[in-house]
Amino acid sequence: MGLRVPKGIPHRRILCVAALLALATGSSVSFATGADSLPQATTYTTLPRAPRDTAPFSAGTGVVVHPTAPRVVRATPGGAAVAVLPSLQLGNPTWVPVVDTAPGWIKVLLPSRPNRATGWISGRGDDLQVARTPYLIKVETGARRLTVLKSGRVTGQWTVAVGAPGTPTPLGRTFLLASLSASDQRSGSPVLPTGAHSATLDTYGGGPGTVAFHGWPRKTVFGKAVSHGCVRVPDDALRALSRVPLGTLVIITR
Amino acid sequence: MGIRRNLLAASALVVGAAAVLVGAATMSQAAADETPGVPGTAYGLSAEGPVRIQPIPAAVSRDGKTVHRSVLRPKNPLVSASAMEVTTNGRNSQASAADVSTLQRQVAANAVSARCENGRGVSNLAGAVIGGRDIDANPAPNTTIPVTIERVGTASVTLNKQVRQADGRLAVTGLSIDMPMSNGKRQTIDVASVVCGTPTDASSTNEASGDMEGPLGDMDDSGRPRETGDTITGPTRDVSTQVQQERVEKQAPAPIPAKVNLPVAG
C-alpha cells in the first residue's frame, strides 16, 4: 500500500541498548535473553520446530500469561526446547493466550512464523503473571466482518477490509500481540499487530509481514478484500480494539 | 523512555568505571560444578536480569566431599566486595563475603554470610547499613527493606532470604536485591547463597537437569537457574492448575501503546 517505510528500528534499538549497557557494565556480563542456540519467539522469527495449533478455531481458555523473564518454549511438556519467549514484544509486555494445559505446563500461541505456531512453557515459577481476558475478537473474511465480544456478548461489530485474494488474511487462531502508538506509524494510525503473518508475503514494507488491525483514511475500502493481509478497520473499531488486553484471542474464519 | 530508564538503572547499579572481565576460568569452573540434583551448593555472588552474573565463586559437592572456592575481589559491574568464600560438603554449606557495597553504597555491610546447619538456614550481616539504617546482625528470615535509588526506582532488599525450592531444598541468601526496571524487567543481585537439604521431589530435579544439559546452559524454564519454587510459607505456584481449575480471576490489563514502528502487511 506504500504507506510504510522499511526501517528495522526495533532491531537497531535493541542492539544499541545492548552495546551501551555492555560498555557501561563491563563486557563480561551476559544477558538473560542471550540464549544463543535458540531463536526468540517474536514476530520477526520463524520457528519450524514449534508445534502447530491443533484447535485453530476454538475459543481457548480466556487466560493470558506474561513472562516477566524469558521462558523456554518446548515442543511438548518437558520436551525439546524450540525457542525462548522474551518478556517484551515490540515494546509491549509479552502476553500470550493459554490454549491447553498439562500438569506443570501450559500451551501458548506464539507470535512467530509459521502461522498457528504454539509451544509449551513451564507453568511454575514467580516470573509468570497470569490473568483473564473476557474479550474475544472474531474476523469473518467472507462477510468482511469484525466482531468484538466481551464475556460472550457482542459489544461491537463493524464492516472491515480484509486481504485481497492474492494476499489473503490468514485463517485460524492468533492473538493481539502489541499496541503501537499512532505517532510512531508512517500511516498516522495506531497499529495493533497480531501473532499472524501473511502467508503469501515473506516481507512487506521492510517488516516481517505481520498481520495487524489498523485504520484507513478512506471509508470506501471497508467491505472489500483489498489489503495485503491486514484488517483495515473504521476508527471507532480501532478505538474499541485498543482497549482489549494483549494476548486476547483473534479467530479468523472464512 | 524505557531505554533511558534502563541505562539510568544500569548506571546506578554499576559500582565502578573499571568494570572488567569476570575471570573466564572461574565461570567455566562454576559451570562445570553445576551438576543437577546435587545436595549442596554455595555461591558468593550472582545476578539475573539485564545484567547477568553467573555464580562466582561457586562450590558444588557431588559426593559429600568438601569443596571450597574463594575469590579475593570478584570482578563484576554490580557489587563491590572482597574475600568471597564458599564451602560445601553436601550436608553443610557456607558462603561469605566481606566489605560488600552496592546500589550507590546505599546497601553496605562489613560481612555477609549464609550457611546451612543440618538443613536449617542461617544468615549473618555484620555492620550492615541499608538505606542509612543500621541493621540487626541476625535478621529474621525474609526481612525486606525498600531502598529508593534516585532517578531509578525503589529496590527491594531482602535479608536472610529463605526460599523453599521446587525440589524441597532450602535456598538461603544473606543479601538479595530485587530492582524493578522499566517495562516490567527486574535486576536481581544475590550475595552469599547456599542450598540446604536433600531433594524430596525427584521429578522437579529431573526437570531441572534437562535444562542444565540443554542448549540454554544454566537457564531454566522460568528464566532463572535455580529458583523455581515459592516462599517457604506458600505452596508451589502452578499456573497450569489455576487454568485447569478456572481459578484465574485477575483481569488482564488494557494495553499501553508503545512508541515502536512496525511495517505491517497493510
Side-chain angles (χ1 to χ4, degrees):
Chain A
M1 65 185 190
L3 289 176
R4 297 178 177 84
V5 174
K7 283 195 168 181
I9 282 177
H11 284 127
R12 286 184 196 160
R13 281 181 181 162
I14 290 165
L15 286 173
C16 183
V17 171
L20 289 172
L21 197 53
L23 279 176
T25 58
S27 56
S28 63
V29 295
S30 63
F31 290 84
T33 53
D36 294 335
S37 51
L38 285 178
Q40 299 247 325
T42 72
T43 191
Y44 295 101
T45 54
T46 299
L47 308 176
R49 294 160 61 205
R52 300 291 191 95
D53 191 359
T54 52
F57 300 101
S58 163
T61 64
V63 175
V64 292
V65 292
H66 164 47
T68 57
R71 290 243 149 184
V72 180
V73 179
R74 298 180 182 277
T76 57
V82 298
V84 171
L85 183 63
S87 59
L88 289 177
Q89 304 279 347
L90 299 167
N92 290 250
T94 299
W95 283 98
V96 289
V98 176
V99 294
D100 200 0
T101 64
W105 297 87
I106 53 177
K107 188 180 188 182
V108 298
L109 299 189
L110 298 174
S112 309
R113 287 179 184 268
N115 284 330
R116 305 182 186 180
T118 70
W120 292 87
I121 63 175
S122 169
R124 296 191 171 122
D126 295 332
D127 298 329
L128 192 67
Q129 292 182 12
V130 58
R132 178 171 293 283
T133 172
Y135 288 92
L136 182 64
I137 300 168
K138 290 185 175 178
V139 176
E140 297 162 89
T141 57
R144 327 283 201 244
R145 186 161 53 218
L146 164 70
T147 305
V148 175
L149 299 101
K150 185 177 183 183
S151 302
R153 298 202 323 212
V154 175
T155 60
Q157 200 161 60
W158 298 269
T159 299
V160 298
V162 298
T167 54
T169 302
L171 305 182
R173 184 165 63 169
T174 183
F175 61 101
L176 277 186
L177 174 64
S179 174
L180 308 180
S181 68
S183 59
D184 289 273
Q185 310 309 313
R186 299 289 297 184
S187 64
S189 162
V191 169
L192 303 171
T194 71
H197 296 79
S198 168
T200 54
L201 302 170
D202 289 345
T203 65
Y204 186 84
T210 308
V211 169
F213 295 100
H214 59 78
W216 198 255
R218 293 182 300 278
K219 293 179 181 176
T220 52
V221 300
F222 302 131
K224 297 178 181 172
V226 292
S227 81
H228 295 94
C230 280
V231 181
R232 302 173 184 173
V233 305
D235 289 347
D236 54 343
L238 200 56
R239 278 193 294 274
L241 288 172
S242 297
R243 294 191 289 270
V244 175
L246 300 181
T248 294
L249 280 180
V250 178
I251 299 177
I252 305 170
T253 57
R254 210 176 290 281
Chain B
M1 179 71 80
I3 294 169
R4 184 178 298 170
R5 277 205 67 198
N6 264 337
L7 290 175
L8 277 173
S11 304
L13 292 167
V14 171
V15 294
V20 292
L21 292 174
V22 172
T26 309
M27 293 180 71
S28 62
Q29 180 66 53
D33 282 345
E34 288 183 13
T35 303
V38 294
T41 58
Y43 299 144
L45 168 67
S46 62
E48 293 289 332
V51 177
R52 186 177 202 188
I53 302 171
Q54 294 189 13
I56 172 177
V60 177
S61 176
R62 296 187 174 90
D63 50 11
K65 291 181 181 174
T66 299
V67 177
H68 179 263
R69 298 275 187 274
S70 64
V71 172
L72 188 56
R73 292 192 180 279
K75 294 175 179 175
N76 75 95
L78 296 178
V79 176
S80 170
S82 65
M84 281 190 167
E85 294 195 53
V86 292
T87 304
T88 182
N89 64 5
R91 285 180 59 81
N92 296 307
S93 303
Q94 177 156 343
S96 64
D99 302 324
V100 176
S101 175
T102 187
L103 293 187
Q104 301 172 345
R105 296 187 173 276
Q106 291 211 53
V107 175
N110 295 334
V112 179
S113 68
R115 65 183 189 277
C116 297
E117 290 179 348
N118 300 317
R120 279 185 59 246
V122 179
S123 295
N124 186 276
L125 291 96
V129 179
I130 295 176
R133 292 167 52 188
D134 291 332
I135 301 300
D136 185 83
N138 297 105
N142 302 315
T143 299
T144 302
I145 300 170
V147 175
T148 301
I149 307 299
E150 190 178 353
R151 300 169 66 192
V152 176
T154 300
S156 176
V157 179
T158 303
L159 312 175
N160 191 17
K161 183 177 179 181
Q162 301 201 7
V163 176
R164 184 69 67 185
Q165 299 189 144
D167 64 3
R169 294 188 295 164
L170 182 67
V172 184
T173 302
L175 174 66
S176 180
I177 297 168
D178 190 334
M179 166 75 87
M181 313 283 283
S182 61
N183 299 322
K185 288 188 175 182
R186 293 177 0 223
Q187 176 70 53
T188 64
I189 302 169
D190 289 339
V191 177
S193 303
V194 295
V195 179
C196 311
T198 53
T200 57
D201 181 348
S203 63
S204 297
T205 304
N206 291 339
E207 186 179 304
S209 72
D211 296 324
M212 293 291 188
E213 294 162 1
L216 284 170
D218 64 345
M219 179 175 148
D220 74 0
D221 289 275
S222 64
R224 287 162 177 254
R226 278 160 289 282
E227 292 186 14
T228 55
D230 211 324
T231 63
I232 188 169
T233 54
T236 300
R237 182 171 175 269
D238 183 355
V239 170
S240 70
T241 306
Q242 291 180 45
V243 176
Q244 222 162 20
Q245 298 176 354
E246 299 187 351
R247 286 194 283 115
V248 178
E249 294 177 357
K250 182 185 171 188
Q251 293 289 305
I256 300 171
K259 295 180 179 299
V260 171
N261 174 257
L262 174 71
V264 296

